[in-house]
């Protein structure tokens, strides 16, 4: 075990995080959800969107930037859709409710869609997918950030969009297929990480104000700074640009809450949730067989590098979760500092490390 | 006007294409739709999926590989979804019906989804988007090809998937946003085109059986041949791999018709159609304003190359359509040969070129 990784017992860490949130003012139900889903992000390996965001969540609660209790308001609904105003309730409290509502609609109508405005930061979309897949349902999630401009349109050098994630969960006969990707060449968190580590990005993902491409993370923080390029890069960036418009329209435009409304909303998100019930289209077993076939075909493709077999999206994350539940949830020393800061902020001592 | 481009009057060409289809056995309604939507592909600039596919369509009708008349069979339905078996009716006849049905469901339930198995080749998804956007509705389309394996999973070198298109149409206060992209680094048609022209691909989009990346189109036709890489390439191909699985599951797995069922179906497709009614979420004008804002922001981003302003997806295609309706629909000499072959096959003379 690497000496610069600290591990905590899952239950002890979960109790600690929940208590921090309660101390910061959250209701019991809000605290339970926010601690659970942030920690789920860490378990699955989305470490930039795990408990490292607990301090932010506690600060937002103290500052009134997150609502500590309450329910989203339903603005409009039909048989298969709803538009909610979350009034800045924490994302990890709002998203599971939106997925639950979408699951109920899907079981009736075949699909269920909930768009949400003014959800406080949702953290890792991957953390929520199993709510639907555990029920045999298919789910897709997207979100955008009205207060953020980091990604340029294809052909442009000025940032217009947020680096929007797209996450998908699909049940199979074995483990579900899970992925959570952004439609841009990198995420703002990875640029910050490279800057902190004093390294370059692994490839040229940024466009400087002079129109040149660069892998230098420092240019992102200059004024004017560089912008993140859409997925596809210099040749195929029109695809990432189209996908980014897709994610911004499906989340912001449908929820009717975009950059004109939310430019001062910080990390708060506009969200798209859609759940599909495969049984609305045919027998459940036949759907699962189709998914099994696709995943088996993928796995059988001979690897380009012999010792690296093709992987199924989500299998690494689910393995990491099982390991961390057994051996303890691991944090880098940099993240540990943020957790310690949060412990002080809330006045709740961190549990002892299990490898301390 | 370039001498190697031939132009035909739109109405004359449309009449000719419809008559060819009727001579090949299509019902009047089938002939009207297939000729209209193939020609629409040409008008919008999707020349690999325009009238160049008319000969195929006529051959399939003669050979009984396309059904010449009839209706898709509804296998299952709920308030917001349906699963259809198109029994190999031509794609350009089936897709507009599926979009119409999805529009009707969306106006009631908020969204409408139709998945379709055994549609004969759908040609250009872009050609169908305005059916929904003209009604103020939002649409997304995907399809996959059970009989085709051309795209490798990320990390693999053996083809598993088809190069699946994803098309989106969104109304705005002015022209709709329209795009139609594949989730792979290139399309099989572009590889064939490069081979025919004796050129390399513009970048390394193929993975050879030895695991090396190449821009040599000839490798694609060897046995064993190279595979097309998923969008994102060597660094970010896991994103295109995830998106490809998404498109295959949403089209094949939900329609319950995949490669185990349709490996001998040639170019026939499994299809996903989803229509969203923005008015289910709030006032129509506010939705349009959101889209207008996003497109205006995109357009305002300073271009990386000063003389190339940022473009809105679909604006080039719509300009091309207006020009071709005025000046005639243009074809390369290579495509003209296919049209002449089709004229002979059906015994219907091509109209005179307007620039002949």
């Amino acid at each position: 075990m690497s000496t610069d990784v600290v591990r905590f017992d899952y239950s002890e860490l979960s109790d600690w995080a929940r208590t921090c949130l309660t101390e910061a003012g959250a209701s019991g139900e809000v605290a339970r959800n926010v601690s659970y889903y942030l920690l789920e992000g860490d378990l699955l390996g989305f470490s930039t969107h795990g408990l490292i965001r607990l301090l932010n969540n506690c600060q937002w609660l103290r500052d009134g930037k997150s609502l500590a209790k309450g329910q989203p308001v339903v603005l409009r609904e039909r048989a298969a859709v709803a538009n909610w105003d979350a009034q800045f309730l924490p994302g990890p409290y709002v998203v599971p409710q939106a997925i639950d509502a979408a699951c109920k609609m899907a079981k009736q109508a075949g699909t269920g869609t909930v768009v949400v405005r003014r959800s406080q930061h949702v953290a890792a979309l991957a953390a929520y997918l199993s709510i639907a897949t555990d029920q045999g349902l298919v789910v897709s999630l997207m979100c955008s950030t009205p207060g953020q401009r980091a990604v340029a349109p294809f052909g442009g050098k000025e940032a217009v969009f947020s680096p929007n994630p797209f996450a998908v969960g699909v049940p199979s006969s074995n483990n579900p297929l899970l992925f959570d990707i952004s439609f841009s060449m990198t995420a703002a968190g990875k640029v910050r990480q490279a800057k902190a580590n004093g390294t370059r990005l692994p490839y040229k993902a940024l466009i400087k104000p002079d129109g040149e491409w660069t892998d230098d993370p420092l240019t992102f923080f200059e004024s004017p700074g560089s912008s993140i390029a859409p997925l596809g890069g210099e040749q195929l960036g029109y695809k990432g640009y189209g996908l980014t418009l897709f994610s911004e329209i499906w989340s912001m435009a449908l929820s009717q809450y975009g950059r004109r409304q939310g430019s001062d909303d910080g990390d708060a998100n506009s969200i798209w949730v859609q759940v599909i019930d495969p049984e609305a289209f045919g027998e459940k077993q036949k759907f699962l067989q189709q998914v099994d076939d696709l995943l088996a075909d993928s796995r059988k493709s001979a690897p380009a590098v012999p010792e690296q077999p093709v992987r199924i999206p989500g299998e690494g994350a689910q393995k990491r979760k099982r390991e961390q539940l057994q051996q303890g949830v691991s944090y880098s020393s940099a993240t540990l500092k943020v957790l310690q800061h949060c412990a002080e902020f809330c006045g709740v001592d961190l549990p002892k490390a299990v490898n301390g």
Side-chain angles (χ1 to χ4, degrees), chain A:
Chain A
M1 192 177 290
S2 164
T3 50
D4 61 352
V5 164
V6 184
R7 287 184 184 268
F8 295 96
D9 174 75
Y10 174 79
S11 298
E12 289 181 14
L13 198 60
S14 171
D15 288 346
W16 169 76
R18 206 175 58 244
T19 312
C20 284
L21 288 155
T22 313
E23 289 298 316
S27 73
E29 197 62 4
V30 165
R32 196 182 64 76
N33 276 276
V34 175
S35 57
Y36 178 84
Y37 287 104
L38 290 182
L39 201 37
E40 186 74 6
D42 282 325
L43 289 176
L44 294 168
F46 290 80
S47 56
T48 55
H49 289 72
L51 278 190
I52 196 171
R53 304 303 305 256
L54 183 65
L55 175 59
N56 291 134
N57 273 274
C58 291
Q59 288 169 332
W60 291 328
L61 286 161
R62 282 266 176 90
D63 298 347
K65 289 183 181 166
S66 272
L67 204 60
K69 63 190 70 167
Q71 291 299 323
V73 175
V74 178
L75 301 173
R76 288 243 185 157
E77 56 185 340
R78 284 192 195 164
V81 309
N83 185 2
W84 290 4
D85 181 352
Q87 306 177 94
F88 301 105
L89 282 160
Y93 176 66
V94 171
V95 177
Q97 287 192 49
I99 296 177
D100 280 341
C103 289
K104 284 198 187 83
M105 289 191 278
K107 286 172 188 171
Q108 292 294 319
T111 64
T113 301
V114 180
V115 297
V116 186
R117 62 172 71 172
R118 300 200 303 168
S119 165
Q120 195 45 278
H121 189 249
V122 302
L125 292 185
Y128 308 105
L129 299 170
S130 61
I131 300 171
T133 59
D134 284 352
Q135 302 177 58
L137 303 171
V138 168
V139 61
S140 63
L141 306 174
M142 291 192 282
C143 75
S144 53
T145 310
Q148 184 184 21
R149 291 184 187 265
V151 176
F154 182 62
K157 59 185 186 180
E158 284 172 349
V160 170
F161 312 111
S162 37
N164 300 335
F166 174 62
V168 157
V170 180
S172 81
S173 296
N174 299 297
N175 293 319
L177 168 81
L178 306 173
F179 69 81
D180 181 350
I181 60 174
S182 74
F183 288 143
S184 47
M185 283 192 78
T186 189
K190 289 187 183 170
V191 183
R192 276 193 290 273
Q193 207 165 42
K195 182 193 173 204
N197 296 339
T199 58
R200 314 287 283 197
L201 295 168
Y203 44 85
K204 292 184 176 181
L206 303 173
I207 304 162
K208 290 191 297 180
D210 64 5
E212 292 295 308
W213 290 65
T214 183
D215 57 4
D216 178 2
L218 299 179
T219 61
F220 188 70
F221 303 94
E222 288 166 2
S223 186
S226 58
S227 302
I228 300 173
L231 175 63
E234 284 197 70
Q235 296 277 359
L236 296 173
Y238 65 92
K239 299 193 182 194
Y241 172 35
L243 291 167
T244 299
L245 283 167
F246 159 65
S247 66
E248 300 237 333
I249 292 167
W250 265 238
S251 55
M252 282 185 194
L254 285 174
S255 73
Q256 304 200 341
Y257 199 84
R259 294 198 170 77
R260 297 288 176 280
Q261 292 74 35
S263 61
D264 296 327
D265 288 356
D267 288 352
N269 296 124
S270 293
I271 310 172
W272 160 269
V273 172
Q274 184 166 76
V275 172
I276 305 171
D277 182 1
E279 286 197 74
F281 300 90
E283 285 168 40
K284 183 180 175 179
Q285 276 312 315
K286 287 190 178 167
F287 171 78
L288 294 176
Q289 187 61 51
Q290 291 285 340
V291 178
D292 294 349
D293 287 348
L294 268 174
L295 301 187
D297 279 5
S298 301
R299 222 184 278 275
K300 270 193 311 211
S301 176
V305 177
E307 59 276 16
Q308 292 172 17
V310 170
R311 290 162 57 180
I312 302 303
E315 68 180 3
Q318 290 168 85
K319 185 168 169 242
R320 208 169 291 123
K321 178 176 172 177
R322 289 189 296 272
E323 282 171 359
Q324 293 198 92
L325 284 174
Q326 285 183 350
Q327 301 170 19
V329 194
S330 75
Y331 293 94
S332 69
S333 52
T335 303
L336 180 61
K337 276 184 195 155
V338 182
L339 300 187
Q340 285 164 337
H341 188 171
C342 185
E344 287 161 29
F345 180 81
C346 298
V348 186
D349 287 345
L350 256 177
K352 270 198 156 167
V354 292
N355 66 336

